[in-house]
Amino acid sequence: MTRKREWYKGATYHVTVRGNRRNDIFRDKEDFEYYLNIIEEALLYYINYNYKVICYCLMDNHVHLMIKTDIEVLGKLMGRISAAYTRYFNKKYNYIGHLFQDRYYSELIENDIQMLETSRYIHLNPVRAKMVKNPAEYIWSSYNMFIGNKKEKIIDSSFILNYFKYKDRAELYIKFVESEFEEFKKLQEDELD
């Protein structure tokens, strides 16, 4: 039996969607772009429900999203996104069966510290996976929108950036993310010694 997710009006979640058996769900640039377009379409489709994507990171075999709900449960939005992407992927690659491992995983974000830490965790995912040395090098996350290198699309970074002094918020967010990044780099160097 599927356990019912905890939800209340305005709840925010860290959502993870994984490929079945950890298989890749994105094989080329078009796949990444299509998934982002589906998110945008789903947000428009459910515009009256006022869902907000705060940040994201699309990895080869999984996705991290931070989503704020308003008046409706998360499942409507995630169901639409996953169903549309599965149809696209199965048709493009002549794939049969489940694309995703189970249903999506969601963790309720319960306080400001968890909100900030989760955004940093999401944006550092490609660094931890040793795909890039710096999160700004990874193009399939919202990090470059947060720091002003790219125009904001599908996300609302203000939910995170409003924690920082307005005038310097992009620079302060970079320092916040990179403080964890520097610790991670030190750990890697220690492992090599």
Side-chain angles (χ1 to χ4, degrees):
M1 189 168 121
T2 306
R3 189 173 60 86
K4 192 170 178 173
R5 295 177 197 276
E6 187 177 346
W7 180 79
Y8 55 84
K9 189 176 178 193
T12 301
Y13 298 90
H14 175 196
V15 177
T16 310
V17 182
R18 293 196 180 281
N20 199 18
R21 296 184 186 91
R22 298 186 184 261
N23 290 333
D24 286 354
I25 54 175
F26 304 110
R27 296 183 180 173
D28 61 24
K29 180 182 177 192
E30 181 185 36
D31 295 348
F32 287 101
E33 289 172 345
Y34 197 85
Y35 193 86
L36 292 173
N37 287 337
I38 287 171
I39 293 173
E40 184 175 24
E41 184 279 330
L43 290 170
L44 285 171
Y45 185 83
Y46 289 122
I47 197 162
N48 293 333
Y49 294 160
N50 202 29
Y51 292 112
K52 300 287 183 199
V53 175
I54 298 170
C55 61
Y56 67 83
C57 185
L58 311 184
M59 303 290 282
D60 293 339
N61 68 355
H62 68 283
V63 172
H64 289 278
L65 301 164
M66 188 187 301
I67 299 175
K68 182 173 181 17
T69 65
D70 186 18
I71 60 170
E72 192 56 67
V73 296
L74 181 63
K76 286 193 183 303
L77 182 70
M78 289 309 302
R80 185 169 183 86
I81 292 168
S82 292
Y85 188 73
T86 298
R87 281 192 303 275
Y88 156 82
F89 187 94
N90 287 354
K91 184 175 181 187
K92 179 177 178 180
Y93 295 108
N94 198 24
Y95 190 87
I96 296 170
H98 296 285
L99 175 61
F100 297 112
Q101 175 186 307
D102 302 321
R103 61 186 188 147
Y104 65 93
Y105 169 79
S106 64
E107 179 183 6
L108 186 63
I109 295 175
E110 301 186 64
N111 57 54
D112 296 342
I113 292 169
Q114 188 183 7
M115 176 89 81
L116 286 165
E117 290 293 339
T118 301
S119 77
R120 175 162 60 186
Y121 175 84
I122 289 171
H123 286 141
L124 283 176
N125 225 255
V127 176
R128 283 193 189 87
K130 299 178 184 170
M131 297 170 81
V132 293
K133 293 191 183 301
N134 184 297
E137 296 169 22
Y138 193 71
I139 62 170
W140 304 114
S141 90
S142 53
Y143 185 71
N144 281 303
M145 295 175 208
F146 271 66
I147 65 172
N149 290 349
K150 200 171 164 187
K151 187 173 182 277
E152 204 164 283
K153 187 175 180 185
I154 77 165
I155 67 158
D156 188 341
S157 64
S158 68
F159 288 98
I160 300 297
L161 293 180
N162 284 345
Y163 287 105
F164 301 93
K165 191 168 115 185
Y166 186 80
K167 190 174 138 235
D168 305 319
R169 61 194 199 159
E171 294 81 18
L172 292 170
Y173 187 72
I174 291 168
K175 285 181 184 169
F176 171 71
V177 170
E178 288 187 358
S179 65
E180 175 90 5
F181 167 59
E182 290 303 320
E183 285 179 39
F184 179 73
K185 272 192 350 190
K186 264 175 122 173
L187 283 171
Q188 281 185 314
E189 288 166 6
D190 290 346
E191 285 175 10
L192 296 173
D193 289 344

